[in-house]
C-alpha cells in the first residue's frame, strides 16, 4: 500500500465530515482539497441513519453520509463515506444479526444494520431516489470517469466495502479501488472471500487498539483484505512511547488514523487532535 495515497484519501474522508451540512443541503459544486489535489463534489450521498438497540428510532432519520467527487481536470472519481454518531452506540449491541447480501446472490451474509443502511444509500433525500450504485453511471461528472475509488471511515468503511462489491459485480465500474479506515467487519467468511475475489485492489487500514474493527466478532464475521495495521504505541527505541490517548473515541478518530499513517510516511507528520494527546500522567512513556 502506498501510504501517501492512503493519507490523501483519508484526508478526503476527513473533509467529508467537515463539509456535510446538517440540513441535508446538497453539496454539489463545492471544492475539497486533499494532499494538494482539488476535487469537485458531484452530489451528496444520503441514507437512513444506523438504528441501534440504544436508539432504534435513529433508523428513521435521513442523514448526509457521503460525497461523490471528481478530481479537477481528471477522470478520477472518488466516493467518500463518513461514519455516524450511532457507531459507538452500535458497539454495545449484542446481537449482530446477519442477512443475505442484498445485491449479489451467493455472496454470503452481511450485518443487518449495515445492510439496511446500505440499502438506503441514495443520491437524493427522497426515499425513492436512485441508489448510488445505480446512479453513478448517469451522474453529471465534469469529465469522463476513468477510475473509481471508494473510501470510508468507521461505519462508512462498511458501506464503502458493500458499495465497492456492488459496483464491481453489477456496473461497468468493475475495478474500484478501496481504502477503509477503522472499518468493522462487514459480513461472514463467504462474503469476505467473495469480496476478495471480486475487488482485488482494497486496503483495510486498522489501528490495532481501535475497538471498532474488532467487531462484529469472529467466527461468524470475517474481515476482507488487504489489512494494514497501525500501532499507537512506539515500541522502539526504548523507552516505549504511547502516541494516542487510550480512549475509544481517540483510537477510532479519523484524525488519529491520519496522524499514525503520516508517522510512517516520508512527508510531514499530521497533527493529532489536541484532545487525543497522551494523558500527562508522566512523560507518555510506557513503564518498564
Amino acid at each position: 500500500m502506498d501510504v501517501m495515497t492512503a493519507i490523501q484519501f483519508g484526508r478526503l474522508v476527513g473533509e467529508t465530515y467537515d463539509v456535510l451540512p446538517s440540513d441535508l443541503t446538497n453539496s454539489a459544486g463545492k471544492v475539497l482539497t486533499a494532499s494538494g489535489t482539488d476535487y469537485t463534489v458531484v452530489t451528496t450521498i444520503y441514507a437512513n441513519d444506523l438504528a441501534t438497540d440504544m436508539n432504534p428510532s435513529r433508523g428513521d432519520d435521513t442523514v448526509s453520509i457521503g460525497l461523490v467527487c471528481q478530481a479537477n481536470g481528471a477522470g478520477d472519481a472518488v466516493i467518500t463515506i463518513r461514519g455516524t454518531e450511532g457507531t459507538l452506540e452500535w458497539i454495545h449491541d449484542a446481537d449482530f444479526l446477519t442477512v443475505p447480501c442484498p445485491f449479489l446472490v451467493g455472496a454470503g451474509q452481511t450485518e443487518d444494520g449495515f445492510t439496511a443502511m446500505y440499502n438506503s444509500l441514495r443520491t437524493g433525500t427522497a426515499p425513492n431516489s436512485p441508489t448510488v450504485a445505480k446512479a453513478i453511471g448517469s451522474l453529471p461528472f465534469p469529465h469522463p470517469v476513468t477510475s473509481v475509488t471508494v473510501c470510508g471511515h468507521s461505519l462508512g468503511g462498511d458501506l464503502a466495502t458493500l458499495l465497492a462489491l456492488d459496483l464491481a459485480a453489477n456496473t461497468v465500474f468493475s475495478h474500484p479501488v478501496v481504502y477503509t479506515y477503522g472499518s468493522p467487519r462487514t459480513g461472514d467468511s463467504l462474503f469476505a472471500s467473495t469480496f476478495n475475489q471480486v475487488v482485488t485492489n482494497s486496503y483495510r487500514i486498522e489501528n490495532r487498539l481501535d475497538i471498532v474493527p474488532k467487531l462484529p466478532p469472529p467466527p461468524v464475521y470475517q474481515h476482507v483484505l488487504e489489512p494494514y495495521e497501525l500501532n499507537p504505541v512506539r515500541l522502539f527505541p526504548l523507552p516505549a512511547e504511547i502516541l494516542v490517548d487510550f480512549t475509544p473515541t481517540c483510537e477510532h478518530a479519523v484524525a488519529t488514523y491520519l496522524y499514525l499513517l503520516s508517522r510512517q510516511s516520508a512527508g510531514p507528520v499530521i497533527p493529532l487532535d489536541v484532545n487525543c494527546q497522551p494523558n500527562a500522567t508522566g512523560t507518555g512513556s510506557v513503564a518498564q
Side-chain angles (χ1 to χ4, degrees):
M1 185 188 79
D2 182 79
V3 173
M4 296 304 294
T5 303
I7 290 172
Q8 178 175 340
F9 290 118
R11 283 184 180 274
L12 203 54
V13 174
E15 286 285 306
T16 303
Y17 278 99
D18 297 334
V19 165
L20 288 175
S22 59
D23 62 0
L24 303 183
T25 301
N26 198 313
S27 297
K30 289 188 176 180
V31 176
L32 312 181
T33 300
S35 299
T37 300
D38 291 336
Y39 296 86
T40 297
V41 177
V42 177
T43 187
T44 295
I45 299 171
Y46 302 92
N48 296 343
D49 207 348
L50 178 67
T52 64
D53 291 347
M54 295 174 64
N55 193 350
S57 64
R58 188 191 294 274
D60 297 328
D61 298 333
T62 298
V63 294
S64 304
I65 196 70
L67 299 168
V68 180
C69 311
Q70 189 171 41
N72 287 3
D76 305 324
V78 182
I79 302 170
T80 174
I81 309 175
R82 67 169 178 83
T84 174
E85 293 178 4
T87 302
L88 293 182
E89 293 179 4
W90 165 83
I91 289 175
H92 298 283
D93 287 358
D95 294 333
F96 300 126
L97 301 176
T98 62
V99 295
C101 178
F103 51 80
L104 187 60
V105 175
Q109 303 277 314
T110 53
E111 203 271 344
D112 63 341
F114 302 154
T115 305
M117 196 169 180
Y118 179 75
N119 285 336
S120 74
L121 213 64
R122 56 195 186 270
T123 54
T125 56
N128 61 347
S129 298
T131 64
V132 176
K134 290 182 178 179
I136 189 169
S138 59
L139 290 175
F141 288 100
H143 306 279
V145 175
T146 56
S147 69
V148 175
T149 300
V150 188
C151 49
H153 168 249
S154 188
L155 168 65
D158 266 318
L159 298 178
T161 300
L162 289 166
L163 178 58
L165 180 58
D166 199 352
L167 291 175
N170 298 312
T171 78
V172 297
F173 303 106
S174 56
H175 299 287
V177 181
V178 186
Y179 289 86
T180 64
Y181 310 80
S183 174
R185 295 182 177 94
T186 306
D188 64 5
S189 59
L190 179 55
F191 173 83
S193 64
T194 302
F195 179 93
N196 296 340
Q197 292 175 38
V198 177
V199 183
T200 57
N201 200 353
S202 175
Y203 306 97
R204 182 178 55 79
I205 303 162
E206 175 182 341
N207 172 4
R208 66 185 302 179
L209 294 186
D210 182 359
I211 185 62
V212 173
K214 307 295 190 292
L215 297 171
V220 174
Y221 289 88
Q222 297 294 329
H223 265 306
V224 300
L225 298 175
E226 181 71 42
Y228 187 91
E229 189 175 80
L230 302 173
N231 193 346
V233 178
R234 182 186 57 73
L235 298 176
F236 298 101
L238 295 175
E241 179 185 6
I242 298 171
L243 302 175
V244 179
D245 189 34
F246 184 53
T247 64
T249 300
C250 285
E251 297 290 1
H252 186 57
V254 67
T256 296
Y257 275 77
L258 290 171
Y259 167 70
L260 294 175
L261 278 168
S262 70
R263 288 180 59 94
Q264 298 185 8
S265 76
V269 174
I270 298 171
L272 184 66
D273 188 293
V274 64
N275 295 315
C276 292
Q277 300 287 343
N279 281 332
T281 53
T283 62
S285 297
V286 178
Q288 300 300 300

